[in-house]
Amino acid sequence: MKISIIGTGYVGLVQGACFADTGNNVLCMDIDEKKIANLKRGIIPIYEPGLEEMVRRNAQDGRLEFTANLKMAVEKSSIIFLCLPTPQSDDGSADLSRVLKVSESIAEYLNEDKIIVSKSTVPVGTVDRIRQIIRKKAKHDFEVVSNPEFLKEGAAVQDSLKPDRIVIGTRNKKTIGIMTELYAPFVRTGNPVLFMDERSAEMTKYASNAFLASKISFMNELANLCEKVGADIDWVRRGMGTDPRIGPQFLFPGVGYGGSCFPKDVKALMKTSQENEYELKILRAVDEVNANQKKVLVRKLVKHFNGQLRGKCIALWGLAFKPQTDDMRDAPAIEIINALLDLEADIRVHDPIALTRAKVLYDGKIEFCENSYDALKGAEALLIVTEWNEFRRPDLKRMKSLMKKPVVFDGRNIYDPKDMKEAGFTYHGIGRKSID
Ligand SMILES: NC(=O)c1ccc[n+]([C@@H]2O[C@H](COP(=O)([O-])OP(=O)(O)OC[C@H]3O[C@@H](n4cnc5c(N)ncnc54)[C@H](O)[C@@H]3O)[C@@H](O)[C@H]2O)c1
């Protein structure tokens, strides 16, 4: 099939590469000309395991091409995927300006019958709006489909090659046939392709992200209560997770959820509910709990130092909003660093992948360390902010020798409080029982 991807970011580039890998001809379009020029030279703008090799291979084989020309992308394809950003607007709603503007251009450039697929996360009713926009100008038949994306950054290629499920919102029989054929190579192990109406598909994406965000906020609330009542959230988590109705995944408390999706999608769904005169009370609490949780680590730190952080050297391990990605959009690390800068602490940071992105935000304000141990030199406390694997089994003796004071605030509960105590560290986790 001839496919165009409009918006070559985390979703567009990964999905484009995966479609090319299954034999389709894919043209990835982006408004960012520098990004396109780099992609043509084999330079990948994001870190995703397995992506670079897949992009290179498919580009070399001529199945994956890049352009900054939207007209060409529309004209050359029979299926057009919209993978455009839908960031949070000032009022909390999803900003649809890019999606709607590109839809206008598609209407103008439509040169034959086509399918337009919305992969961006968009509020219920957006597919209808896209359809109306294109209908005003289009001289050919077209279908607009909702096909929300569920990939996880850090495992995006694997998720796209083997998705848990594919959700497709369309009621058109011919389109159902084409989408079934397109996705057949990805569901050979029997994972479902769920066809439903457009609005249900749009809602499914928000429902999934809002539910996952709720799980995180629920565990964070419980962790905070555990600290007050002398229970250990890690045992509680294990005890809960063995119930198959609950399941073990996504029960880890921490420093709050971040990234480019959960925060904005929770807010956008709240906005949709308000616009429809129905308040999603649960989501309001999820959002509030998360805002509070992003402050938890700094609050513990301030308490430990009696509010005196000026000139104190604080080390941070992990900047990305989660491991295996360089994405720092809405990352808890940003809030933590900003708070520490306000408190006039000296900050030394390490992240295996995200340092380049962090430099754009904090160049000249904090110390960037290429090695995790370098970040510890002279530190009076270490904050674990992202649970990268390389932080899980550190050389505790070496850590202790480098730090001015052996104090760890573990925002991801990756260490055993007992081990830390035996190694001579003062250890603070999230919702953990203190070891006397
Ligand atoms: N990142 C994720 O993990 C993820 C997962 C599921 C769904 N989504 C959703 O997918 C959508 C895209 O997210 P993303 O993370 O890939 O965004 P992104 O910011 O990584 O990529 C979007 C790309 O679109 C380009 N772009 C912006 N305006 C454009 C225009 N007018 N024409 C052409 N290109 C344009 C940008 O330059 C950028 O390269 C969002 O709605 C997001 O909520 C994201």
Side-chain angles (χ1 to χ4, degrees), residues 7 9-11 30-31 35 84-86 121 149 153 261 264 329:
Y10 278 89
V11 170
D30 203 283
I31 200 169
K35 186 183 272 191
L84 294 156
T86 49
T121 303
E149 180 55 58
E153 281 180 28
C261 291
K264 81 168 171 66
R329 291 180 283 184

Side-chain angles (χ1 to χ4, degrees), residues 152-184:
K152 300 184 285 296
E153 281 180 28
V157 172
Q158 271 315 306
D159 283 349
S160 297
L161 290 175
K162 289 192 178 140
D164 301 325
R165 79 296 207 188
I166 289 161
V167 169
I168 298 177
T170 182
R171 285 159 291 185
N172 181 284
K173 279 215 176 101
K174 192 173 162 206
T175 307
I176 290 175
I178 293 169
M179 296 302 282
T180 303
E181 199 186 321
L182 178 65
Y183 277 115

Side-chain angles (χ1 to χ4, degrees), residues 337-355:
I337 292 172
N338 290 347
L340 292 178
L341 285 173
D342 283 348
L343 291 161
E344 298 178 55
D346 293 335
I347 307 165
R348 295 174 69 81
V349 301
H350 171 72
D351 187 286
I353 301 288
L355 283 183

